[in-house]
Amino acid sequence: MSRVRRHADNPAHALPGDDPEHEPRARHGRAPDVMRLGGWTPMREHGEDEPVDFVIVGTGAGGGTLAAKLAEYGFSVVAMDAGPYWRPLEDFASDEMHQSKLYWTDDRIVDGENPLQLGANNSGKSVGGSTVHFAMVSLRFRPEWFKSRTLLGYGTDWPVDWREMWRYYDEVERVLAISGPLTYPWGPKRPRYPYRAHELNAAARVLARGAEAMGIAWTESPIATLSAPRGLAPPCVYRGFCTSGCSTNAKQSVLNTWLVRALAAGAEIRDLAMVGQVETGADGRATGVRYHREGRWRFQRARNVVVAGYAIETPRLLLNSASARHPDGLANSSGLVGRYLTVQANQAVWGTSAEEIRSYKAPPSLAISEHWNYEDHGKDYHGGWCYMAQGPLPTLWSSTLATGHDLWGDALVAEMQNYNHSVGLKNVGEYMPQARNGVTLADETDQYGLPIARVTYSWCDNDRAQNAHARAFMGEALAAADVRDIWEQTNDTCHLNGTCRMGDDPCTSVVDADCRSWDVDNLWVCDGSVFPTVGGVNPSLTIQAIACRTADRIRDMAARGELDRRARPPARERAR
Amino acid sequence: MPGTDPRRDRFPGYDVTAKRDTPSWNAKTRAVVDERLAIDPEAHRFFDTTEWRTLRALCDRIVPQPADRPGRVSLAAMVDAKAGSGKGDGYRNVKLPPLGAAWRRALAALEAEANARHGHPFSALPATAQDELIEAMRRGDLHDLAWGDMPPDLFFQDRVVPDVVKSYYAHPTAWSEIGFGGPASPRGYVRLGPDRQDPWEAHEDHGDGHARPANERIGR
């Protein structure tokens, strides 16, 4: 097809000449240029015996963002990721099954009354983390959620102020060039989104029609995919494979935003680098990380270690780093490492429309209502939820019908032929933090010989009450939009948070407001693990905002000479 | 009902692979899908002959396909390849053995159930009898000792669905059958609204004769 015209790159013809899943790309002084086929960009390298200022474990929304900011502030940074360093233009197929290579598919054991489904919708194994396959929905917390215990009567207060977070949200929204509406219907004023909202697809119009019939507000979702060109990235072409990885670079992931900045500022990124332990010295402080790369175990010295592996791998690494001095795992004097894992509801209603919907086109969640995040009346439970339009691709849709609607055999084959008329609404809801939910170590080990995670989850009565309300309301909204044969999907959850909660009391939290471990003052945790509560919105924007705040705090503490030791007792820190 | 093909040919003449050499398929997509289309339906390295026979019979009932169908999906071979790859989905219920072991145990258990109830191997049963056993498995209502401590309903939910159902709908034959646009990179879509489609999308049969010629033009 000679009619394909592009500036420099033509992904129609080129296959990568190497195997990024088995051979590291970021080495020998260069890293992949993710914007160009076969491209490279210079990368500063650090010796393993030379202690770097920060070694960061994980390069997703927390670690990748922090790597960029710290490098720009002049710190020496090595950021490691267990996953490959992709060039989306050449490595990504338009294929759900193949693209499962983006997910963390190593074994994890799940149990509890409501065992989680992990992998596809909540765990990434790539440089850039799960932002490489996230659905790009970029929402701010409702301000009250940062003080939900005090203001709303449930959960735990965060040790940060919403007004400060609001400023960091501004920063992240600009970095990701979020496309969104001119005015946002809920919450305090915010600036207009940097890029204009995307055209609504048919599935989003169904949400809008239903919300208007129910008398509640809706809007175009703020999402991290371009609605106009930006540098070498084209606007979104609405191919709809967002959760299988964006092969055009329209998606503004950590891979093609923050990490590009990190490299330019002198950070080193090591792909296919699995960290097994954070090591500590005689004084109890972290000395670096033991990691596996290119077939052998290695050690990187560092003045500070940041663990940013998300809510399962982060506590797993800290628990696997137990030593004589830290027998229950690192940073775990509170006993809370791994506890209070808090996922979010992902309840859905589905049905059939007379119109052709074809929700495989465009990002899946182009329209949203946050009504029930900001309305506290009419609920018999704590917490909020939003709901969004959906766009499941065929394999996901078939498993939804099979496990959520009990279809198999001829009945499944028959219903799948209604795919183009199928439409649904799905929520992201705030489950309650519970001490019994969490991550522990299993007896089994993985390919590196490291004990794997055991992930335990059970809903509480509040979670179930919220699920019931959300399904009933969304069902009414779907019916009001003339959708028929409506059924409820009750078996899904999404997003992983908690397990190393932040707080202002070392007895009831793992890290302080700056994401700094109470126990080991040169150890930090920077990812969704630090969330004490999860709110009713997707967490990625908040994780990045927390990372930006942490970077600024580290810069300020370094300037005051407070990085080498905790300068003030926690009580004074709390009074600030 | 077994014996009645549930397929309605809703998108007559639509073949998603006709777009292979258009801007909808990048090089990586072509390589990945070519490999899937080339799977040998008889290939089995992980399962032994008895297991393989049971697995094929099970796949034929989970997603029935006409025997002589062009582009027939090699479902059992896809399950065999996944079981042999050692790669899972990223989570395993504490009540399930690892992927390959779970399959071996379930296939042996289905065989034992078939022999106990009907005196024949699972693969030799009529479709209605096979379907009864499968539905009992889905409901967790099978109790042969061969299941051990593995709940049959959990096996259905966490292994049969991801490994069989999803494999079928990962195949171009299934994409054509349901009118899915299929691969879309670098070219995506332009017309997003209800009842709108781009010329390179499947056209649904509305009984007016327009769909087939429009579908046959795609990729040509």
Side-chain angles (χ1 to χ4, degrees):
Chain A
M1 299 303 287
S2 57
R3 283 180 295 130
V4 182
R5 273 190 305 113
R6 298 179 65 84
H7 34 89
D9 304 330
N10 185 347
H13 300 294
L15 274 178
D18 58 354
D19 178 3
E21 291 177 75
H22 296 98
E23 283 291 312
R25 277 179 169 166
R27 54 183 175 173
H28 310 317
R30 65 183 194 176
D33 178 347
V34 297
M35 304 306 292
R36 289 187 171 85
L37 291 170
W40 298 100
T41 191
M43 180 177 77
R44 183 175 164 193
E45 287 184 289
H46 299 272
E48 291 179 328
D49 293 331
E50 159 202 358
V52 291
D53 291 330
F54 286 87
V55 63
I56 300 176
V57 184
T59 60
T65 304
L66 191 66
K69 298 276 291 188
L70 290 179
E72 287 172 354
Y73 290 152
F75 296 102
S76 57
V77 173
V78 171
M80 303 198 188
D81 204 289
Y85 208 136
W86 309 109
R87 288 190 199 94
L89 294 176
E90 64 188 29
D91 293 322
F92 290 1
S94 281
D95 187 79
E96 284 177 276
M97 180 178 269
H98 177 78
Q99 291 296 121
S100 65
K101 68 185 182 183
L102 305 184
Y103 310 144
W104 191 286
T105 53
D106 296 351
D107 237 1
R108 289 159 166 172
I109 304 294
V110 295
D111 64 1
E113 292 163 28
N114 305 95
L116 301 180
Q117 299 171 54
L118 303 171
N121 81 338
N122 53 23
S123 304
K125 193 175 190 179
S126 299
V127 172
S130 47
T131 70
V132 177
H133 63 82
F134 79 149
M136 310 173 297
V137 176
S138 299
L139 303 173
R140 299 183 179 204
F141 262 40
R142 175 181 168 181
E144 288 88 336
W145 292 340
F146 291 106
K147 294 286 178 281
S148 64
R149 168 56 58 191
T150 303
L151 299 177
L152 300 169
Y154 67 87
T156 304
D157 289 352
W158 290 50
V160 297
D161 186 276
W162 76 270
R163 284 157 294 214
E164 191 183 9
M165 291 300 294
W166 227 241
R167 292 199 300 275
Y168 287 109
Y169 282 137
D170 289 356
E171 176 179 355
V172 178
E173 286 168 357
R174 286 195 304 273
V175 169
L176 302 183
I178 301 292
S179 305
L182 281 174
T183 55
Y184 200 70
W186 307 279
K189 280 194 174 178
R190 62 183 70 180
R192 64 160 293 182
Y193 285 96
Y195 276 33
R196 68 177 162 80
H198 291 272
E199 177 188 342
L200 298 184
N201 66 0
R205 292 190 203 194
V206 168
L207 181 144
R209 204 157 68 214
E212 285 174 10
M214 299 291 284
I216 64 166
W218 66 275
T219 190
E220 298 109 330
S221 305
I223 58 173
T225 186
L226 299 173
S227 59
R230 186 189 203 208
L232 290 173
C236 178
V237 296
Y238 305 124
R239 48 190 288 275
F241 280 85
C242 316
T243 56
S244 294
C246 180
S247 67
T248 69
N249 276 323
K251 172 188 284 189
Q252 300 295 284
S253 66
V254 170
L255 177 65
N256 67 6
T257 58
W258 292 110
L259 291 177
V260 174
R261 277 173 53 172
L263 288 168
E268 178 183 348
I269 296 166
R270 292 188 196 150
D271 53 340
L272 302 183
M274 177 68 187
V275 176
Q277 276 94 30
V278 177
E279 296 205 353
T280 49
D283 59 357
R285 303 185 85 227
T287 55
V289 298
R290 200 168 77 87
Y291 71 105
H292 193 273
R293 195 184 195 211
E294 294 183 284
R296 65 183 180 90
W297 286 100
R298 300 155 176 272
F299 184 72
Q300 175 65 52
R301 298 181 66 199
R303 294 186 189 90
N304 291 274
V305 174
V306 182
V307 181
Y310 206 19
I312 295 176
E313 293 307 311
T314 285
R316 178 188 175 210
L317 175 56
L318 293 175
L319 295 173
N320 273 334
S321 299
S323 62
R325 183 162 179 148
H326 303 279
D328 301 321
L330 211 49
N332 197 22
S333 66
S334 64
L336 293 176
V337 169
R339 292 242 201 150
Y340 290 104
L341 174 67
T342 313
V343 302
Q344 290 175 308
N346 216 193
Q347 300 283 302
V349 294
W350 302 98
T352 308
S353 168
E355 299 171 321
E356 286 186 75
I357 301 295
R358 297 179 188 257
S359 66
Y360 58 81
K361 294 189 281 190
S365 299
L366 286 172
I368 183 172
S369 178
E370 278 208 67
H371 176 82
W372 290 107
N373 270 336
Y374 287 83
E375 177 56 76
D376 296 323
H377 298 290
K379 292 173 173 171
D380 59 355
Y381 56 87
H382 289 308
W385 52 278
C386 64
Y387 71 96
M388 286 170 259
Q390 298 296 309
L393 295 185
T395 76
L396 175 58
W397 181 236
S398 68
S399 64
T400 301
L401 286 174
T403 61
H405 203 30
D406 298 339
L407 296 183
W408 60 275
D410 289 344
L412 175 67
V413 170
E415 181 56 31
M416 280 299 291
Q417 290 166 95
N418 292 326
Y419 176 61
N420 286 351
H421 291 263
S422 299
V423 63
L425 303 170
K426 205 166 194 184
N427 81 337
V428 170
E430 179 174 22
Y431 282 160
M432 289 298 118
Q434 300 177 63
R436 63 175 175 160
N437 289 333
V439 176
T440 52
L441 296 179
D443 295 331
E444 294 161 68
T445 55
D446 67 5
Q447 65 270 39
Y448 309 101
L450 302 168
I452 66 173
R454 179 177 181 128
V455 182
T456 304
Y457 215 88
S458 303
W459 290 339
C460 62
D461 289 343
N462 194 84
D463 298 342
R464 281 186 284 268
Q466 184 193 85
N467 287 347
H469 177 232
R471 291 195 306 266
F473 184 88
M474 292 189 295
E476 279 186 63
L478 202 56
D482 302 320
V483 175
R484 298 288 170 257
D485 300 327
I486 293 170
W487 58 277
E488 297 181 344
Q489 180 193 2
T490 63
N491 64 348
D492 212 359
T493 62
C494 60
H495 306 132
L496 313 165
N497 294 290
T499 69
C500 286
R501 45 175 33 191
M502 60 161 60
D504 46 25
D505 180 346
C507 297
T508 57
S509 58
V510 176
V511 297
D512 66 16
D514 302 331
C515 295
R516 188 179 201 175
S517 157
W518 291 115
D519 297 349
V520 182
D521 67 6
N522 65 341
L523 175 69
W524 314 70
V525 175
C526 188
D527 59 27
S529 317
V530 303
F531 284 28
T533 57
V534 296
V537 297
N538 312 47
S540 64
L541 195 76
T542 302
I543 297 172
Q544 290 170 83
I546 286 286
C548 287
R549 182 184 181 280
T550 299
D552 284 358
R553 295 283 301 154
I554 286 173
R555 175 198 57 191
D556 296 346
M557 284 186 271
R560 295 195 299 265
E562 295 172 8
L563 271 197
D564 293 335
R565 58 192 164 76
R566 190 178 286 281
R568 288 164 297 186
R572 284 189 58 192
E573 187 70 21
R574 187 161 66 238
R576 284 186 79 247
Chain B
M1 287 290 105
T4 317
D5 189 355
R7 292 177 178 79
R8 288 170 286 164
D9 201 17
R10 199 166 185 177
F11 307 92
Y14 177 61
D15 176 3
V16 73
T17 61
K19 291 197 267 186
R20 184 186 181 281
D21 297 317
T22 72
S24 289
W25 293 42
N26 64 3
K28 188 70 183 178
T29 302
R30 288 196 295 269
V32 164
V33 178
D34 286 355
E35 191 180 334
R36 196 166 303 149
L37 289 170
I39 293 172
D40 174 3
E42 303 300 326
H44 61 100
R45 291 185 192 84
F46 184 81
F47 295 114
D48 68 23
T49 309
T50 309
E51 292 162 346
W52 175 247
R53 205 170 52 216
T54 310
L55 174 64
R56 288 180 60 133
L58 175 66
C59 291
D60 281 345
R61 295 316 305 157
I62 297 297
V63 188
Q65 303 182 69
D68 53 350
R69 171 184 217 197
R72 196 170 199 281
V73 182
S74 306
L75 272 182
M78 291 171 81
V79 176
D80 183 278
K82 184 173 179 180
S85 75
K87 287 190 78 172
D89 298 320
Y91 64 102
R92 176 161 60 82
N93 192 293
V94 69
K95 295 172 186 160
L96 290 182
L99 193 150
W103 269 108
R104 285 202 166 117
R105 193 190 296 185
L107 293 172
L110 276 178
E111 192 73 345
E113 301 275 5
N115 277 314
R117 288 197 192 189
H118 303 286
H120 294 289
F122 182 82
S123 58
L125 299 181
T128 45
Q130 290 173 334
D131 285 2
E132 279 171 23
L133 280 173
I134 293 170
E135 179 60 16
M137 168 171 63
R138 190 191 68 75
R139 284 186 279 103
D141 199 17
L142 291 180
H143 307 283
D144 193 281
L145 289 176
W147 290 99
D149 52 3
M150 179 172 82
D153 48 343
L154 194 61
F155 175 79
F156 183 91
Q157 173 190 290
D158 281 9
R159 289 274 56 91
V160 174
V161 174
D163 301 345
V164 181
V165 172
K166 288 181 83 170
S167 290
Y168 180 78
Y169 288 100
H171 196 281
T173 297
W175 302 340
S176 298
E177 177 180 306
I178 65 173
F180 172 49
S185 181
R187 178 176 64 181
Y189 302 101
V190 178
R191 296 160 185 83
L192 304 182
D195 289 328
R196 298 293 309 280
Q197 79 252 160
D198 291 322
W200 55 91
E201 293 186 78
H203 294 72
E204 184 180 317
D205 185 12
H206 296 299
D208 55 11
H210 290 307
R212 182 175 291 277
N215 285 330
E216 287 178 347
R217 273 197 300 275
I218 293 173
R220 298 194 176 92

